[in-house]
Amino acid sequence: SPKSDVYYVHKAMIAVGSRRSELLGRRIREAENTARGGSPDGHSTEVNVHETVMLESAADAMGILLDFCYYPDQPLDITVENAVPLVYLAKRYRIRLLLEQAEAFVLEKLESTTAMYFLLDSYLYRLDDVCSRAIDVTAASLAETVDFEPIYRLPPELFQRIVLSKDLKCESELLSLIVYSYCGEHHAEDIDVEYFRELTKPRIMADIDPKVALMMLKFYVDLILEDDENCDIMEVLDGDSLMKRCVTVVAKQWQNEVCEPLMIDAEWDADPSRRKPLSSNAEQAALHRS
């Protein structure tokens, strides 16, 4: 169940001075003016009480916000974990100095190892400026990522923005592995054919890794049929770029497995002089080639 926190504060500390909350200051003044005009004693509970609902991480950072307003000589207690909630609170309550310090901290600390913290929190709090920066940092370091599980847990909208980022740095075959794993193995129920086509365009993914080429093609066909189960799949795939790339890489992979043994056997049949009897320990190459 939601938790409830209560803070007792002084109006002079949160509504006045360089660290004031412009939002709370305005509400206090408006409530006081209303009280003077309609209440015999000039007082109103609206002046004294401010109730709000917020996400847990923002609620946890509320005490830090109040300490910032109360104690100007103390440094802001900001960390990677609470930085984005503090940016959100500073924007919400319009505390300019807090916003400056929190945003400066995010810009300073935003790098490949911290981008996921900032990405998820900024998406949650709808802070698109921070979110866009975190997306670009994540995209620029995608090829160096060791643990992909946090990326696979991202909502489709964020994953798409990473893959389509102008700062993306990831070799095409590796990208095909990442995209297939995300779409085909982790979010198959959330992906439609247009989304998949967008992430697999030739300018983004010129080459497909042989390990996923067939699986990617099957997943693509399934998405097409899910979109229109009555379509002529061969007609839809005629000239399709993704289908061609998948088939091409599969054909190249199978070339040595299929064509080379056939060529050797054909040459052996055509030139009897090249035939040599097999020793008792010899194995038939065409049957046992690995």
Side-chain angles (χ1 to χ4, degrees):
S1 61
K3 68 175 184 177
S4 177
D5 294 324
V6 178
Y7 296 96
Y8 297 93
V9 298
H10 302 84
K11 299 175 191 175
M13 302 303 295
I14 62 173
V16 179
S18 63
R19 299 191 172 200
R20 70 185 180 278
S21 165
E22 295 178 7
L23 174 66
L24 294 178
R26 190 189 76 240
R27 288 187 175 178
I28 289 171
R29 290 190 298 273
E30 290 174 350
E32 288 177 341
N33 292 335
T34 301
R36 291 191 190 98
S39 175
D41 59 2
H43 296 286
S44 169
T45 57
E46 291 184 6
V47 182
N48 300 317
V49 178
H50 171 72
E51 295 182 348
T52 187
V53 177
M54 61 184 65
L55 295 173
E56 185 175 1
S57 56
D60 290 340
M62 194 67 188
I64 299 173
L65 177 150
L66 294 175
D67 286 344
F68 178 82
C69 294
Y70 265 74
Y71 307 110
D73 296 332
Q74 294 185 9
L76 176 63
D77 184 16
I78 188 170
T79 65
V80 169
E81 290 77 11
N82 66 22
V84 172
L86 284 172
V87 171
Y88 163 77
L89 290 172
K91 285 178 174 285
R92 177 170 179 170
Y93 289 102
R94 300 178 190 172
I95 306 175
R96 297 185 185 185
L97 190 57
L98 176 60
L99 181 60
E100 290 176 8
Q101 293 189 24
E103 285 186 330
F105 180 90
V106 170
L107 292 178
E108 178 186 354
K109 299 297 183 181
L110 182 52
E111 54 190 30
S112 60
T113 56
T114 61
M116 197 56 62
Y117 282 106
F118 297 134
L119 175 57
L120 292 172
D121 278 352
S122 59
Y123 179 75
L124 193 62
Y125 287 106
R126 300 180 181 179
L127 301 174
D128 199 57
D129 288 346
V130 177
C131 189
S132 296
R133 290 176 180 270
I135 283 171
D136 290 341
V137 170
T138 302
S141 59
L142 189 61
E144 303 167 4
T145 302
V146 176
D147 180 12
F148 284 96
E149 282 307 312
I151 290 178
Y152 294 149
R153 289 197 295 267
L154 292 175
E157 177 189 348
L158 286 186
F159 182 76
Q160 182 183 48
R161 290 177 65 181
I162 290 172
V163 175
L164 300 182
S165 169
K166 67 183 186 308
D167 294 329
L168 178 67
K169 293 181 181 177
C170 186
E171 188 269 334
S172 180
E173 290 190 4
L174 174 58
L175 183 62
S176 71
L177 292 171
I178 297 170
V179 168
Y180 174 74
S181 184
Y182 181 91
C183 296
E185 297 175 346
H186 291 83
H187 294 270
E189 300 299 321
D190 306 319
I191 305 303
D192 61 31
V193 65
E194 292 305 322
Y195 181 96
F196 196 63
R197 280 174 175 154
E198 190 71 19
L199 299 189
T200 56
K201 287 183 176 180
R203 64 179 178 82
I204 302 171
M205 192 184 297
D207 301 306
I208 312 293
D209 190 286
K211 292 189 287 294
V212 295
L214 269 181
M215 294 183 290
M216 180 173 281
L217 181 56
K218 181 184 183 305
F219 181 67
Y220 181 43
V221 169
D222 289 343
L223 289 176
I224 294 173
L225 293 175
E226 184 179 324
D227 184 60
D228 183 4
E229 62 181 11
N230 298 317
C231 73
D232 183 339
I233 190 63
M234 297 309 297
E235 181 178 335
V236 173
L237 290 176
D238 184 29
D240 185 90
S241 173
L242 179 56
M243 186 273 292
K244 285 184 177 179
R245 280 173 282 148
C246 289
V247 170
T248 298
V249 73
V250 170
K252 288 181 180 178
Q253 184 185 24
W254 286 358
Q255 184 173 353
N256 291 336
E257 299 297 324
V258 177
C259 298
E260 184 180 345
L262 293 176
M263 292 173 62
I264 293 174
D265 290 344
E267 292 174 359
W268 192 76
D269 289 338
D271 186 357
S273 64
R274 298 182 58 185
R275 300 178 187 176
K276 296 181 181 180
L278 293 174
S279 66
S280 59
N281 296 326
E283 295 182 336
Q284 297 183 35
L287 294 178
H288 298 282
R289 180 176 287 103
S290 59

